[in-house]
Amino acid sequence: MASAAAAASLSSGAPAAQAQLPHVVIFPFMAKGHTIPLTHLAHLLRRRQLATVTFFTTPGNAAFIRTALSGADGVAVVELPFPDDHGATVPGLPRGAESAEALDSLSSFPAFVEAASLLLPRFEEALAAAHPHASAVVADALLHWAHAAAAARGVPTLAFFAANVLAHVVREACHRDNPAATLAGGTGAAAYAVPEFPDVQLSLADIPFPFDDPDLTAMASVREMDRKLGKAIAGSHGLIVNTFKALERRYIEHWNRHVGPRAWPLGPLCLARPPPPVSRARHGGESSPAAWMQWLDEKAADGRAVLYVALGTMVAVPGGQLSEVAGGLERSGLDFLWAVRPADADLGAGFEDRVRGRGVVVREWVDQWAVLWHGGVKGFLSHGGWNSVVESISAGVPLAVWPMSAEQPLNAKMVADELRVGIRVPAKDGVTGAAVLVKSEEIATVIKELITGEKGVEVARNMAALGAKAREAMEEGGSSWRAVEEMIAGLGRHQPA
């Protein structure tokens, strides 16, 4: 463990050549979906020798981050402890919570974001002690106070938020137009056309949270959180986005010409690490593969296509809906690997016994990247979180996308309607925007179509082509390869005195 006070000596043993590199401090928000892409960014900067890197986190998240940074030589991890009993300091927050996954429900999320600001004194201490001086701080936009503190020291910041550029564009449009008021106001309008992109037609079900509520005074804490993250992005020297030009060219160009700050498409960041081997056992690895990886190997050897199912780590699937998912998987007759949250333990009496042999349920952290790269996985039933979408594209695995919250409906629309690399599972009523219970019959129909139907063949073909473009973007000379070099080179114009 490196304390904040010890940060000054973190790079003291670095070779002289490394000492000349920019020093980038990375500070992710304490949620796995926000953290994982930034660990991949650290791998990218170190593998290409573009910068030295220091990672800031809290003690409760440090072990996960150190594991994720394995192989990224020379990355220091500095632990910034929360004040004792911070959970009691901020109303609505479970005691001792250090990650979003530890929250009882999403209603506690704004309180957790607010609690993170208690780390400010420790962040300031660690940043002041950093040696060499930080050339830039890459911080999640939810850590808005870290952006302000770095700017006060003359250190430029690069904002990160775990969303695509389309989501940022639509957020700006929602602030300006409040489309939910029109769609929910009884005017008869079925869709809102984003003025800058008239072909992007959004129903009320597509409007991201919290903008799907037309009452601008509703959810005050969430809207205040959104205002602060927007200010952090606007005041930064750039916006790092886990995307690539061939995927979002028109949205990137619009953002850079008309909104700003400059968006840097550096992804897919998951490709900063080499694809995992098909099986550690086959490659003589030192550790045995997880049981579920061995099971995937067996299915691949039998020529069986497997559906991977993961519906996110933060939002709990309601019990009734969870039973419908289990029923849909059972009805489909497909082989599947289902990663469920430990809290989502009740899948119905006898379910796992009835699907034994063709279905595996995993209640531990799953290396999703390894699963998607496994040759036996032919489809992914996903909540449509942006990390999952990008990882699926990178691995060339077509999606059945089932949005649950946040900007996931936009991701689902992009996947199914614009990119045509997946099939959408409707999660809300398109007119009222109300959540609907998706029945097992509909789930079975969608996933069977993805794996065995004509539509599935089409989206698999499209996904294979898009995956090739993703990998090309990250290869030497590709658009993302060049973008990260240009971004780092620009730091020299903002060096602190």
Side-chain angles (χ1 to χ4, degrees):
M1 167 178 165
S3 68
S9 62
L10 289 174
S11 61
S12 59
Q18 286 213 97
Q20 303 303 313
L21 295 175
H23 179 199
V24 175
V25 169
I26 298 179
F27 193 5
F29 181 69
M30 289 71 74
K32 287 185 172 63
H34 290 243
T35 297
I36 291 171
L38 291 181
T39 66
H40 293 156
L41 176 62
H43 277 275
L44 178 63
L45 295 176
R46 294 303 303 133
R47 179 169 58 83
R48 293 183 53 189
Q49 290 291 292
L50 293 172
T52 58
V53 178
T54 300
F55 229 88
F56 286 2
T57 188
T58 68
N61 295 288
F64 176 82
I65 285 175
R66 286 192 172 93
T67 299
L69 291 173
S70 177
D73 297 338
V75 178
V77 178
V78 175
E79 298 178 21
L80 312 178
F82 271 107
D84 291 340
D85 204 14
H86 62 279
T89 305
V90 179
L93 188 66
R95 289 177 179 268
E98 286 196 28
S99 69
E101 288 79 13
L103 303 180
D104 296 330
S105 70
L106 272 184
S107 63
S108 302
F109 190 79
F112 182 64
V113 172
E114 185 64 26
S117 66
L118 299 174
L119 295 169
L120 174 58
R122 291 161 175 80
F123 171 78
E124 292 177 321
E125 175 190 356
L127 190 62
H131 181 75
H133 292 299
S135 305
V137 170
V138 175
D140 197 292
L142 289 171
L143 305 175
H144 53 87
W145 45 269
H147 284 262
R153 293 191 60 83
V155 180
T157 64
L158 295 163
F160 174 78
F161 195 66
N164 56 29
V165 182
L166 171 62
H168 287 289
V169 170
V170 170
R171 176 184 174 277
E172 293 288 323
C174 287
H175 274 287
R176 182 188 63 220
D177 300 338
N178 190 16
T182 301
L183 295 173
T187 63
Y192 163 73
V194 178
E196 297 83 357
F197 301 99
D199 61 307
V200 179
Q201 303 268 330
L202 305 179
S203 71
L204 188 58
D206 299 322
I207 303 297
F209 176 84
F211 308 108
D212 53 346
D213 189 331
D215 183 359
L216 297 179
T217 65
M219 297 176 289
S221 62
V222 177
R223 290 183 182 270
E224 176 63 11
M225 179 181 72
D226 173 79
R227 184 191 68 79
K228 290 178 177 178
L229 78 86
K231 183 178 180 181
I233 292 171
S236 69
H237 286 82
L239 174 63
I240 293 174
V241 191
N242 189 14
T243 190
F244 56 101
K245 280 190 176 179
L247 181 62
E248 291 197 277
R249 184 181 302 275
R250 61 178 183 156
Y251 306 124
I252 295 166
E253 291 177 351
H254 166 78
W255 179 272
N256 287 344
R257 289 173 182 169
H258 303 292
V259 186
R262 180 166 178 174
W264 294 102
L266 305 186
L269 287 168
C270 55
L271 290 172
R273 302 186 70 179
V278 173
S279 166
R280 291 181 188 174
R282 293 180 190 170
H283 291 267
E286 295 180 2
S287 59
S288 299
W292 40 269
M293 287 299 285
Q294 292 179 318
W295 182 82
L296 285 176
D297 287 347
E298 292 167 4
K299 289 297 178 182
D302 292 339
R304 302 282 295 180
V306 174
L307 174 74
Y308 172 54
V309 183
L311 300 176
T313 58
M314 285 181 56
V315 179
V317 180
Q321 185 62 84
L322 206 63
S323 296
E324 296 295 333
V325 176
L329 291 169
E330 187 173 354
R331 282 172 174 268
S332 72
L334 298 172
D335 293 349
F336 64 89
L337 172 66
W338 186 5
V340 301
R341 291 164 27 111
D344 298 337
D346 185 7
L347 307 180
F351 167 71
E352 292 182 60
D353 290 332
R354 293 193 300 273
V355 298
R356 194 174 306 280
R358 70 173 181 87
V360 170
V361 176
V362 183
R363 293 184 174 86
E364 60 187 88
W365 178 254
V366 170
D367 186 349
Q368 180 165 289
W369 187 227
V371 170
L372 290 173
W373 273 93
H374 194 285
V377 174
K378 302 300 183 183
F380 181 10
L381 174 60
S382 167
H383 65 309
W386 188 241
N387 287 340
S388 291
V389 171
V390 169
E391 289 180 357
S392 211
I393 290 172
S394 301
V397 176
L399 286 152
V401 62
W402 186 357
M404 300 286 172
S405 65
E407 88 294 350
Q408 293 161 14
L410 283 178
N411 299 342
K413 186 172 183 63
M414 175 187 279
V415 164
D417 298 344
E418 183 175 346
L419 303 174
R420 301 183 185 277
V421 295
I423 303 172
R424 182 169 181 169
V425 180
K428 293 183 178 180
D429 184 279
V431 177
T432 67
V436 297
L437 181 70
V438 183
K439 303 296 287 185
S440 62
E441 296 91 338
E442 185 173 3
I443 295 169
T445 297
V446 170
I447 59 180
K448 285 174 67 177
E449 183 63 29
L450 182 72
I451 299 297
T452 64
E454 291 184 9
K455 181 69 172 178
V457 172
E458 176 190 346
V459 299
R461 181 172 58 247
N462 293 342
M463 184 63 97
L466 187 59
K469 292 180 181 179
R471 295 186 289 276
E472 180 182 310
M474 290 292 285
E475 291 171 354
E476 185 169 359
S479 61
S480 297
W481 176 282
R482 298 192 305 271
V484 70
E485 283 187 345
E486 188 176 348
M487 183 188 77
I488 293 297
L491 297 180
R493 297 191 291 270
H494 302 288
Q495 292 289 345

